Amino acid sequence: MERHDIETLAARMEGPVLLPGQEGFDEELTGFNLAVRHRPEVIVGAARAEDVAAAVAFAAAHGLPVAVQNTGHGFSVAAEGGLLVTTRRMAAVRVDPETRSAYVAAGARFDQVIPEAARHGLAPLNGSAPHVGVVSYTLGGGLPLLGRSHGWAADRVQAMDVVTADGRLRHATPDTEPELYWALLGGRDNFGIVTGMKFGLVPVARLYGGGLFFDVEQTPGILEAYGGWTATVPDEMNSSLALIPFPDDPQVPKPMRGRHVCHVRIAFTGSTEDGERLVEPLRQAGPRLLENLRDMPYEHSGDIHDDPPVPMPWAADDAFLADLDGDTVRTILKHTGPGAALPAIVELRHLGGALARQPAHPNAVGHRDARFMLAVLTPLTGDSNGDAHAFLERMFKDLAPWTSGRFLNFMGHGDTADQERTRTAYTTDDHRRLTALKADYDPQNIFRLNYNIPPRTAR
């Protein structure tokens, strides 16, 4: 790759082309998870779809692997060498109230979509953190705050503009490019770089939501009550339970400051009266440190989880669970809570409902029969990276008898060669189909700096 090659590429771009050592290079590659540090040979700060197409064609011509990044929440592996496309400049958002749909460019975040949709009494199927990028979240499946009520975010996608490994800009819908459409939704960035996405919105303007906070010592009883309670609630009730070690910080509400807390999160799409009635069994499970359940506009739904918007380093892993029985609970608690080997945030999300149903247009999002998803996040400090990965490996190895695969969006970062770990996000048949489609759309595996699905080799 010669200097004149880079100059030729830059001349075709509306956005910047950056090389190591140039001003702005380090800022451009930094994402939300500070534990993962890209070291690409070149960065293309795409400002339009044509920039992405030119960047991919350039990479293919020079034998460079390609990575893509918006906010950097969904880091899988660090890009060592290759070309990194950043999409944050492509932030257009258009909401159509007549068709109850939205179109977003590759760099849009949900905190841009939510207020635009709310003006019309509509909502996207965003996750717990509004500052996450729409496209990458959705391509990984997208587990929404309202998942039990409305299903996976991927199931609402109507069309995608995508640049494939041959540098072509394609329009993928269930009718025009059905195989590519199927593979992108669940296959994430293995099949191209999505430059724009159209998806359906749901008619939700308000929620009964918030949380119940208990001291962590009550967790065994709360988990038992929660497991039984989730078997009784309607699809309109969306919830999760988290174990969180709160810092002794003035910004933390006083009842939780410096304490390990069990936090039950609620997002109910029915009436406040019905929400109060449905939540009452959880209130009876034990004394609460704090409760902030209330009727709220959907625009405030990010307050329910209150995920921090500040970048930080962490390691994480997840698994789908068939149930939440006594053995599963005891194994989770053995590794977490006060006295654990490392501080960890542990979350159980209740699945089922609309998440278990097949969409009108099939996609590669798997493990729809799971009842819960367990995610564990360990903040990293100093030299704790190796300890954190060992801790997560031990915990999920012990939980293996009760798990049924992983969810890409919460799987954390790993190694480029760890394709077996990626395989667990899919059913066997779906993974086989994905590898065959990878051979069609990206036979050289240009898009491999990710949770990689390798192309199937001819026999």
Side-chain angles (χ1 to χ4, degrees):
M1 188 171 62
E2 302 295 333
R3 184 173 183 83
H4 73 270
D5 296 326
I6 296 295
E7 291 172 348
T8 301
L9 175 64
R12 300 178 60 187
M13 294 290 163
E14 187 173 302
V17 175
L18 300 170
L19 298 174
Q22 287 186 328
E23 183 179 355
F25 182 89
D26 290 341
E27 291 79 7
E28 189 73 22
L29 61 78
T30 300
F32 195 81
N33 187 350
L34 301 180
V36 182
R37 189 70 171 173
H38 287 318
R39 295 179 179 83
E41 294 176 56
V42 58
I43 299 175
V44 171
R48 55 182 182 167
E50 292 81 2
D51 288 0
V52 176
V56 172
F58 175 88
H62 291 82
L64 299 175
V66 177
V68 59
Q69 174 184 292
N70 178 14
T71 63
H73 283 78
F75 269 144
S76 48
V77 299
E80 294 290 341
L83 184 148
L84 174 66
V85 176
T86 59
T87 62
R88 65 192 65 167
R89 293 169 181 79
M90 302 170 63
V93 172
R94 298 194 300 271
V95 170
D96 185 344
E98 297 298 318
T99 60
R100 291 183 176 178
S101 66
Y103 180 87
V104 300
R109 302 181 312 274
F110 276 112
D111 56 14
Q112 298 168 268
V113 181
I114 292 170
E116 286 298 311
R119 293 171 53 203
H120 309 286
L122 301 171
L125 291 183
N126 56 284
S128 58
H131 48 280
V132 167
V134 177
V135 169
S136 56
Y137 158 92
T138 305
L139 295 179
L143 179 54
L145 195 67
L146 303 182
R148 283 178 44 80
S149 304
H150 295 286
W152 300 92
D155 296 350
R156 295 273 169 170
V157 174
Q158 299 168 5
M160 290 166 283
D161 298 316
V162 56
V163 174
T164 46
D166 54 7
R168 286 179 55 193
L169 181 61
R170 305 174 188 239
H171 188 65
T173 74
D175 298 320
T176 61
E177 292 261 15
E179 292 291 274
L180 182 58
Y181 172 93
W182 179 87
L184 285 167
L185 296 172
R188 234 175 74 152
D189 49 349
N190 273 279
F191 297 89
I193 297 178
V194 171
T195 62
M197 177 181 286
K198 182 182 179 183
F199 54 91
L201 302 169
V202 296
V204 174
R206 52 147 301 276
L207 293 173
Y208 172 73
L212 305 167
F213 298 83
F214 304 86
D215 188 89
V216 76
E217 298 296 340
Q218 299 179 62
T219 299
I222 301 300
L223 275 169
E224 182 180 358
Y226 181 72
W229 176 78
T230 55
T232 69
V233 297
D235 294 355
E236 292 78 14
M237 178 60 76
N238 303 271
S239 68
S240 66
L241 181 151
L243 307 180
I244 307 171
F246 280 101
D248 188 3
D249 189 297
Q251 295 187 27
V252 175
K254 193 171 182 179
M256 282 101 70
R257 199 173 297 165
R259 301 182 76 152
H260 212 121
V261 171
C262 178
H263 180 197
V264 180
R265 292 89 170 260
I266 301 293
F268 179 59
T269 58
S271 69
T272 298
E273 293 75 20
D274 285 345
E276 290 278 337
R277 175 179 54 81
L278 286 166
V279 168
E280 188 58 29
L282 295 177
R283 290 195 177 102
Q284 300 303 318
R288 300 176 299 285
L289 297 171
L290 184 71
E291 176 179 329
N292 62 7
L293 289 166
R294 63 197 184 279
D295 194 86
M296 63 172 65
Y298 192 79
E299 281 188 89
H300 294 176
S301 60
D303 296 347
I304 296 174
H305 286 237
D306 198 22
D307 290 337
V310 180
M312 59 181 177
W314 77 84
D317 206 348
D318 72 80
F320 288 111
L321 303 175
D323 212 336
L324 194 60
D325 60 19
D327 288 338
T328 308
V329 168
R330 281 189 288 274
T331 305
I332 292 170
L333 294 179
K334 183 180 83 170
H335 290 276
T336 60
L342 286 173
I345 298 169
V346 179
E347 183 179 36
L348 281 161
R349 297 198 183 200
H350 183 210
L351 307 180
L355 293 165
R357 300 176 196 134
Q358 292 299 320
H361 303 293
N363 56 51
V365 178
H367 304 298
R368 291 173 181 258
D369 56 346
R371 282 200 62 218
F372 295 92
M373 191 202 68
L374 170 69
V376 182
L377 183 151
T378 303
L380 299 176
T381 57
D383 298 325
S384 65
N385 199 324
D387 291 341
H389 285 287
F391 163 77
L392 292 167
E393 184 176 352
R394 287 193 303 271
M395 180 174 179
F396 283 90
K397 182 177 180 181
D398 282 357
L399 283 165
W402 305 285
T403 63
S404 59
R406 287 182 171 87
F407 177 49
L408 282 188
N409 284 3
F410 290 170
M411 204 161 71
H413 59 282
D415 189 283
T416 52
D418 196 3
Q419 294 169 357
E420 187 57 38
R421 191 160 168 263
T422 300
R423 186 191 298 264
T424 64
Y426 308 100
T427 65
T428 301
D429 288 345
D430 282 354
H431 190 265
R432 186 180 298 115
R433 182 178 174 187
L434 287 165
T435 60
L437 290 172
K438 180 76 168 184
D440 291 339
Y441 287 101
D442 184 14
Q444 303 303 314
N445 205 8
I446 289 173
F447 299 113
R448 62 179 180 269
L449 300 173
N450 50 24
Y451 298 121
N452 193 231
I453 298 168
R456 187 187 302 178
T457 55
R459 294 185 178 181

mmCIF file with all atom_site columns, all heavy atoms in Angstrom, residues 83-102:
data_model
loop_
_atom_site.group_PDB
_atom_site.id
_atom_site.type_symbol
_atom_site.label_atom_id
_atom_site.label_alt_id
_atom_site.label_comp_id
_atom_site.label_asym_id
_atom_site.label_entity_id
_atom_site.label_seq_id
_atom_site.pdbx_PDB_ins_code
_atom_site.Cartn_x
_atom_site.Cartn_y
_atom_site.Cartn_z
_atom_site.occupancy
_atom_site.B_iso_or_equiv
_atom_site.pdbx_formal_charge
_atom_site.auth_seq_id
_atom_site.auth_comp_id
_atom_site.auth_asym_id
_atom_site.auth_atom_id
_atom_site.pdbx_PDB_model_num
ATOM 1   N N   . LEU A 1 83  ? -8.214  -2.246 7.495  1.00 0.00 ? 83  LEU A N   1
ATOM 2   C CA  . LEU A 1 83  ? -8.868  -0.956 7.288  1.00 0.00 ? 83  LEU A CA  1
ATOM 3   C C   . LEU A 1 83  ? -10.096 -0.878 8.184  1.00 0.00 ? 83  LEU A C   1
ATOM 4   O O   . LEU A 1 83  ? -10.921 -1.794 8.217  1.00 0.00 ? 83  LEU A O   1
ATOM 5   C CB  . LEU A 1 83  ? -9.268  -0.809 5.819  1.00 0.00 ? 83  LEU A CB  1
ATOM 6   C CG  . LEU A 1 83  ? -9.887  0.519  5.379  1.00 0.00 ? 83  LEU A CG  1
ATOM 7   C CD1 . LEU A 1 83  ? -9.516  0.824  3.924  1.00 0.00 ? 83  LEU A CD1 1
ATOM 8   C CD2 . LEU A 1 83  ? -11.408 0.509  5.519  1.00 0.00 ? 83  LEU A CD2 1
ATOM 9   N N   . LEU A 1 84  ? -10.202 0.208  8.926  1.00 0.00 ? 84  LEU A N   1
ATOM 10  C CA  . LEU A 1 84  ? -11.348 0.441  9.812  1.00 0.00 ? 84  LEU A CA  1
ATOM 11  C C   . LEU A 1 84  ? -12.233 1.520  9.210  1.00 0.00 ? 84  LEU A C   1
ATOM 12  O O   . LEU A 1 84  ? -11.770 2.627  8.929  1.00 0.00 ? 84  LEU A O   1
ATOM 13  C CB  . LEU A 1 84  ? -10.866 0.876  11.197 1.00 0.00 ? 84  LEU A CB  1
ATOM 14  C CG  . LEU A 1 84  ? -11.964 1.301  12.190 1.00 0.00 ? 84  LEU A CG  1
ATOM 15  C CD1 . LEU A 1 84  ? -12.855 0.127  12.557 1.00 0.00 ? 84  LEU A CD1 1
ATOM 16  C CD2 . LEU A 1 84  ? -11.348 1.923  13.448 1.00 0.00 ? 84  LEU A CD2 1
ATOM 17  N N   . VAL A 1 85  ? -13.508 1.190  8.993  1.00 0.00 ? 85  VAL A N   1
ATOM 18  C CA  . VAL A 1 85  ? -14.501 2.163  8.546  1.00 0.00 ? 85  VAL A CA  1
ATOM 19  C C   . VAL A 1 85  ? -15.278 2.633  9.772  1.00 0.00 ? 85  VAL A C   1
ATOM 20  O O   . VAL A 1 85  ? -15.869 1.817  10.484 1.00 0.00 ? 85  VAL A O   1
ATOM 21  C CB  . VAL A 1 85  ? -15.473 1.555  7.520  1.00 0.00 ? 85  VAL A CB  1
ATOM 22  C CG1 . VAL A 1 85  ? -16.557 2.567  7.153  1.00 0.00 ? 85  VAL A CG1 1
ATOM 23  C CG2 . VAL A 1 85  ? -14.731 1.096  6.276  1.00 0.00 ? 85  VAL A CG2 1
ATOM 24  N N   . THR A 1 86  ? -15.268 3.928  10.047 1.00 0.00 ? 86  THR A N   1
ATOM 25  C CA  . THR A 1 86  ? -16.098 4.467  11.118 1.00 0.00 ? 86  THR A CA  1
ATOM 26  C C   . THR A 1 86  ? -17.296 5.170  10.474 1.00 0.00 ? 86  THR A C   1
ATOM 27  O O   . THR A 1 86  ? -17.169 5.834  9.452  1.00 0.00 ? 86  THR A O   1
ATOM 28  C CB  . THR A 1 86  ? -15.315 5.452  12.002 1.00 0.00 ? 86  THR A CB  1
ATOM 29  O OG1 . THR A 1 86  ? -14.833 6.539  11.205 1.00 0.00 ? 86  THR A OG1 1
ATOM 30  C CG2 . THR A 1 86  ? -14.146 4.743  12.679 1.00 0.00 ? 86  THR A CG2 1
ATOM 31  N N   . THR A 1 87  ? -18.457 5.020  11.102 1.00 0.00 ? 87  THR A N   1
ATOM 32  C CA  . THR A 1 87  ? -19.699 5.470  10.466 1.00 0.00 ? 87  THR A CA  1
ATOM 33  C C   . THR A 1 87  ? -20.405 6.591  11.220 1.00 0.00 ? 87  THR A C   1
ATOM 34  O O   . THR A 1 87  ? -21.505 6.987  10.847 1.00 0.00 ? 87  THR A O   1
ATOM 35  C CB  . THR A 1 87  ? -20.675 4.292  10.326 1.00 0.00 ? 87  THR A CB  1
ATOM 36  O OG1 . THR A 1 87  ? -21.007 3.797  11.634 1.00 0.00 ? 87  THR A OG1 1
ATOM 37  C CG2 . THR A 1 87  ? -20.092 3.176  9.485  1.00 0.00 ? 87  THR A CG2 1
ATOM 38  N N   . ARG A 1 88  ? -19.776 7.126  12.279 1.00 0.00 ? 88  ARG A N   1
ATOM 39  C CA  . ARG A 1 88  ? -20.497 8.069  13.149 1.00 0.00 ? 88  ARG A CA  1
ATOM 40  C C   . ARG A 1 88  ? -20.944 9.332  12.436 1.00 0.00 ? 88  ARG A C   1
ATOM 41  O O   . ARG A 1 88  ? -21.865 10.009 12.894 1.00 0.00 ? 88  ARG A O   1
ATOM 42  C CB  . ARG A 1 88  ? -19.627 8.405  14.359 1.00 0.00 ? 88  ARG A CB  1
ATOM 43  C CG  . ARG A 1 88  ? -18.341 9.152  14.019 1.00 0.00 ? 88  ARG A CG  1
ATOM 44  C CD  . ARG A 1 88  ? -17.379 9.203  15.180 1.00 0.00 ? 88  ARG A CD  1
ATOM 45  N NE  . ARG A 1 88  ? -16.887 7.889  15.541 1.00 0.00 ? 88  ARG A NE  1
ATOM 46  C CZ  . ARG A 1 88  ? -15.857 7.669  16.344 1.00 0.00 ? 88  ARG A CZ  1
ATOM 47  N NH1 . ARG A 1 88  ? -15.229 8.681  16.909 1.00 0.00 ? 88  ARG A NH1 1
ATOM 48  N NH2 . ARG A 1 88  ? -15.460 6.439  16.617 1.00 0.00 ? 88  ARG A NH2 1
ATOM 49  N N   . ARG A 1 89  ? -20.299 9.684  11.296 1.00 0.00 ? 89  ARG A N   1
ATOM 50  C CA  . ARG A 1 89  ? -20.709 10.884 10.554 1.00 0.00 ? 89  ARG A CA  1
ATOM 51  C C   . ARG A 1 89  ? -22.003 10.663 9.767  1.00 0.00 ? 89  ARG A C   1
ATOM 52  O O   . ARG A 1 89  ? -22.633 11.626 9.321  1.00 0.00 ? 89  ARG A O   1
ATOM 53  C CB  . ARG A 1 89  ? -19.594 11.310 9.599  1.00 0.00 ? 89  ARG A CB  1
ATOM 54  C CG  . ARG A 1 89  ? -18.341 11.813 10.295 1.00 0.00 ? 89  ARG A CG  1
ATOM 55  C CD  . ARG A 1 89  ? -17.181 11.976 9.336  1.00 0.00 ? 89  ARG A CD  1
ATOM 56  N NE  . ARG A 1 89  ? -15.980 12.433 10.045 1.00 0.00 ? 89  ARG A NE  1
ATOM 57  C CZ  . ARG A 1 89  ? -15.185 11.645 10.767 1.00 0.00 ? 89  ARG A CZ  1
ATOM 58  N NH1 . ARG A 1 89  ? -15.459 10.349 10.868 1.00 0.00 ? 89  ARG A NH1 1
ATOM 59  N NH2 . ARG A 1 89  ? -14.128 12.140 11.388 1.00 0.00 ? 89  ARG A NH2 1
ATOM 60  N N   . MET A 1 90  ? -22.372 9.425  9.578  1.00 0.00 ? 90  MET A N   1
ATOM 61  C CA  . MET A 1 90  ? -23.584 9.079  8.811  1.00 0.00 ? 90  MET A CA  1
ATOM 62  C C   . MET A 1 90  ? -24.736 8.928  9.807  1.00 0.00 ? 90  MET A C   1
ATOM 63  O O   . MET A 1 90  ? -25.121 7.828  10.174 1.00 0.00 ? 90  MET A O   1
ATOM 64  C CB  . MET A 1 90  ? -23.350 7.792  8.025  1.00 0.00 ? 90  MET A CB  1
ATOM 65  C CG  . MET A 1 90  ? -22.169 7.864  7.067  1.00 0.00 ? 90  MET A CG  1
ATOM 66  S SD  . MET A 1 90  ? -21.708 6.261  6.357  1.00 0.00 ? 90  MET A SD  1
ATOM 67  C CE  . MET A 1 90  ? -23.190 5.859  5.426  1.00 0.00 ? 90  MET A CE  1
ATOM 68  N N   . ALA A 1 91  ? -25.289 10.041 10.230 1.00 0.00 ? 91  ALA A N   1
ATOM 69  C CA  . ALA A 1 91  ? -26.210 10.021 11.372 1.00 0.00 ? 91  ALA A CA  1
ATOM 70  C C   . ALA A 1 91  ? -27.635 10.444 11.031 1.00 0.00 ? 91  ALA A C   1
ATOM 71  O O   . ALA A 1 91  ? -28.420 10.781 11.918 1.00 0.00 ? 91  ALA A O   1
ATOM 72  C CB  . ALA A 1 91  ? -25.657 10.921 12.478 1.00 0.00 ? 91  ALA A CB  1
ATOM 73  N N   . ALA A 1 92  ? -28.019 10.405 9.772  1.00 0.00 ? 92  ALA A N   1
ATOM 74  C CA  . ALA A 1 92  ? -29.356 10.845 9.377  1.00 0.00 ? 92  ALA A CA  1
ATOM 75  C C   . ALA A 1 92  ? -30.442 9.953  9.980  1.00 0.00 ? 92  ALA A C   1
ATOM 76  O O   . ALA A 1 92  ? -30.275 8.725  10.074 1.00 0.00 ? 92  ALA A O   1
ATOM 77  C CB  . ALA A 1 92  ? -29.487 10.852 7.857  1.00 0.00 ? 92  ALA A CB  1
ATOM 78  N N   . VAL A 1 93  ? -31.551 10.554 10.385 1.00 0.00 ? 93  VAL A N   1
ATOM 79  C CA  . VAL A 1 93  ? -32.711 9.841  10.922 1.00 0.00 ? 93  VAL A CA  1
ATOM 80  C C   . VAL A 1 93  ? -33.969 10.439 10.295 1.00 0.00 ? 93  VAL A C   1
ATOM 81  O O   . VAL A 1 93  ? -34.161 11.653 10.315 1.00 0.00 ? 93  VAL A O   1
ATOM 82  C CB  . VAL A 1 93  ? -32.802 9.970  12.457 1.00 0.00 ? 93  VAL A CB  1
ATOM 83  C CG1 . VAL A 1 93  ? -34.119 9.394  12.981 1.00 0.00 ? 93  VAL A CG1 1
ATOM 84  C CG2 . VAL A 1 93  ? -31.620 9.292  13.132 1.00 0.00 ? 93  VAL A CG2 1
ATOM 85  N N   . ARG A 1 94  ? -34.824 9.578  9.724  1.00 0.00 ? 94  ARG A N   1
ATOM 86  C CA  . ARG A 1 94  ? -36.096 10.032 9.171  1.00 0.00 ? 94  ARG A CA  1
ATOM 87  C C   . ARG A 1 94  ? -37.214 9.147  9.715  1.00 0.00 ? 94  ARG A C   1
ATOM 88  O O   . ARG A 1 94  ? -37.135 7.910  9.590  1.00 0.00 ? 94  ARG A O   1
ATOM 89  C CB  . ARG A 1 94  ? -36.103 9.976  7.648  1.00 0.00 ? 94  ARG A CB  1
ATOM 90  C CG  . ARG A 1 94  ? -35.076 10.877 6.990  1.00 0.00 ? 94  ARG A CG  1
ATOM 91  C CD  . ARG A 1 94  ? -35.366 11.029 5.499  1.00 0.00 ? 94  ARG A CD  1
ATOM 92  N NE  . ARG A 1 94  ? -35.348 9.750  4.804  1.00 0.00 ? 94  ARG A NE  1
ATOM 93  C CZ  . ARG A 1 94  ? -34.268 9.206  4.260  1.00 0.00 ? 94  ARG A CZ  1
ATOM 94  N NH1 . ARG A 1 94  ? -33.088 9.818  4.372  1.00 0.00 ? 94  ARG A NH1 1
ATOM 95  N NH2 . ARG A 1 94  ? -34.345 8.052  3.624  1.00 0.00 ? 94  ARG A NH2 1
ATOM 96  N N   . VAL A 1 95  ? -38.232 9.744  10.294 1.00 0.00 ? 95  VAL A N   1
ATOM 97  C CA  . VAL A 1 95  ? -39.380 9.006  10.821 1.00 0.00 ? 95  VAL A CA  1
ATOM 98  C C   . VAL A 1 95  ? -40.595 9.301  9.945  1.00 0.00 ? 95  VAL A C   1
ATOM 99  O O   . VAL A 1 95  ? -40.887 10.467 9.645  1.00 0.00 ? 95  VAL A O   1
ATOM 100 C CB  . VAL A 1 95  ? -39.665 9.397  12.283 1.00 0.00 ? 95  VAL A CB  1
ATOM 101 C CG1 . VAL A 1 95  ? -40.997 8.823  12.758 1.00 0.00 ? 95  VAL A CG1 1
ATOM 102 C CG2 . VAL A 1 95  ? -38.531 8.905  13.186 1.00 0.00 ? 95  VAL A CG2 1
ATOM 103 N N   . ASP A 1 96  ? -41.295 8.251  9.524  1.00 0.00 ? 96  ASP A N   1
ATOM 104 C CA  . ASP A 1 96  ? -42.505 8.391  8.715  1.00 0.00 ? 96  ASP A CA  1
ATOM 105 C C   . ASP A 1 96  ? -43.694 7.925  9.547  1.00 0.00 ? 96  ASP A C   1
ATOM 106 O O   . ASP A 1 96  ? -43.917 6.715  9.701  1.00 0.00 ? 96  ASP A O   1
ATOM 107 C CB  . ASP A 1 96  ? -42.391 7.547  7.450  1.00 0.00 ? 96  ASP A CB  1
ATOM 108 C CG  . ASP A 1 96  ? -43.572 7.730  6.506  1.00 0.00 ? 96  ASP A CG  1
ATOM 109 O OD1 . ASP A 1 96  ? -44.614 8.254  6.950  1.00 0.00 ? 96  ASP A OD1 1
ATOM 110 O OD2 . ASP A 1 96  ? -43.466 7.342  5.330  1.00 0.00 ? 96  ASP A OD2 1
ATOM 111 N N   . PRO A 1 97  ? -44.469 8.852  10.123 1.00 0.00 ? 97  PRO A N   1
ATOM 112 C CA  . PRO A 1 97  ? -45.589 8.445  10.976 1.00 0.00 ? 97  PRO A CA  1
ATOM 113 C C   . PRO A 1 97  ? -46.693 7.731  10.215 1.00 0.00 ? 97  PRO A C   1
ATOM 114 O O   . PRO A 1 97  ? -47.446 6.936  10.803 1.00 0.00 ? 97  PRO A O   1
ATOM 115 C CB  . PRO A 1 97  ? -46.083 9.768  11.569 1.00 0.00 ? 97  PRO A CB  1
ATOM 116 C CG  . PRO A 1 97  ? -45.643 10.819 10.616 1.00 0.00 ? 97  PRO A CG  1
ATOM 117 C CD  . PRO A 1 97  ? -44.356 10.324 10.038 1.00 0.00 ? 97  PRO A CD  1
ATOM 118 N N   . GLU A 1 98  ? -46.820 7.988  8.912  1.00 0.00 ? 98  GLU A N   1
ATOM 119 C CA  . GLU A 1 98  ? -47.872 7.347  8.130  1.00 0.00 ? 98  GLU A CA  1
ATOM 120 C C   . GLU A 1 98  ? -47.643 5.845  8.016  1.00 0.00 ? 98  GLU A C   1
ATOM 121 O O   . GLU A 1 98  ? -48.574 5.052  8.131  1.00 0.00 ? 98  GLU A O   1
ATOM 122 C CB  . GLU A 1 98  ? -47.948 7.982  6.732  1.00 0.00 ? 98  GLU A CB  1
ATOM 123 C CG  . GLU A 1 98  ? -48.322 9.459  6.737  1.00 0.00 ? 98  GLU A CG  1
ATOM 124 C CD  . GLU A 1 98  ? -49.696 9.686  7.334  1.00 0.00 ? 98  GLU A CD  1
ATOM 125 O OE1 . GLU A 1 98  ? -50.615 8.895  7.032  1.00 0.00 ? 98  GLU A OE1 1
ATOM 126 O OE2 . GLU A 1 98  ? -49.843 10.656 8.111  1.00 0.00 ? 98  GLU A OE2 1
ATOM 127 N N   . THR A 1 99  ? -46.395 5.451  7.775  1.00 0.00 ? 99  THR A N   1
ATOM 128 C CA  . THR A 1 99  ? -46.073 4.022  7.645  1.00 0.00 ? 99  THR A CA  1
ATOM 129 C C   . THR A 1 99  ? -45.540 3.424  8.949  1.00 0.00 ? 99  THR A C   1
ATOM 130 O O   . THR A 1 99  ? -45.206 2.245  8.994  1.00 0.00 ? 99  THR A O   1
ATOM 131 C CB  . THR A 1 99  ? -45.033 3.805  6.538  1.00 0.00 ? 99  THR A CB  1
ATOM 132 O OG1 . THR A 1 99  ? -43.835 4.527  6.874  1.00 0.00 ? 99  THR A OG1 1
ATOM 133 C CG2 . THR A 1 99  ? -45.561 4.304  5.199  1.00 0.00 ? 99  THR A CG2 1
ATOM 134 N N   . ARG A 1 100 ? -45.466 4.247  10.006 1.00 0.00 ? 100 ARG A N   1
ATOM 135 C CA  . ARG A 1 100 ? -44.901 3.810  11.293 1.00 0.00 ? 100 ARG A CA  1
ATOM 136 C C   . ARG A 1 100 ? -43.534 3.162  11.088 1.00 0.00 ? 100 ARG A C   1
ATOM 137 O O   . ARG A 1 100 ? -43.276 2.036  11.532 1.00 0.00 ? 100 ARG A O   1
ATOM 138 C CB  . ARG A 1 100 ? -45.847 2.845  12.010 1.00 0.00 ? 100 ARG A CB  1
ATOM 139 C CG  . ARG A 1 100 ? -47.115 3.479  12.523 1.00 0.00 ? 100 ARG A CG  1
ATOM 140 C CD  . ARG A 1 100 ? -47.966 2.470  13.277 1.00 0.00 ? 100 ARG A CD  1
ATOM 141 N NE  . ARG A 1 100 ? -49.144 3.069  13.857 1.00 0.00 ? 100 ARG A NE  1
ATOM 142 C CZ  . ARG A 1 100 ? -50.076 2.401  14.542 1.00 0.00 ? 100 ARG A CZ  1
ATOM 143 N NH1 . ARG A 1 100 ? -49.946 1.096  14.721 1.00 0.00 ? 100 ARG A NH1 1
ATOM 144 N NH2 . ARG A 1 100 ? -51.117 3.028  15.037 1.00 0.00 ? 100 ARG A NH2 1
ATOM 145 N N   . SER A 1 101 ? -42.662 3.877  10.429 1.00 0.00 ? 101 SER A N   1
ATOM 146 C CA  . SER A 1 101 ? -41.333 3.346  10.142 1.00 0.00 ? 101 SER A CA  1
ATOM 147 C C   . SER A 1 101 ? -40.298 4.448  10.282 1.00 0.00 ? 101 SER A C   1
ATOM 148 O O   . SER A 1 101 ? -40.621 5.630  10.339 1.00 0.00 ? 101 SER A O   1
ATOM 149 C CB  . SER A 1 101 ? -41.280 2.752  8.732  1.00 0.00 ? 101 SER A CB  1
ATOM 150 O OG  . SER A 1 101 ? -41.444 3.767  7.756  1.00 0.00 ? 101 SER A OG  1
ATOM 151 N N   . ALA A 1 102 ? -39.051 4.023  10.347 1.00 0.00 ? 102 ALA A N   1
ATOM 152 C CA  . ALA A 1 102 ? -37.932 4.960  10.406 1.00 0.00 ? 102 ALA A CA  1
ATOM 153 C C   . ALA A 1 102 ? -36.840 4.480  9.474  1.00 0.00 ? 102 ALA A C   1
ATOM 154 O O   . ALA A 1 102 ? -36.675 3.273  9.257  1.00 0.00 ? 102 ALA A O   1
ATOM 155 C CB  . ALA A 1 102 ? -37.391 5.068  11.829 1.00 0.00 ? 102 ALA A CB  1
#
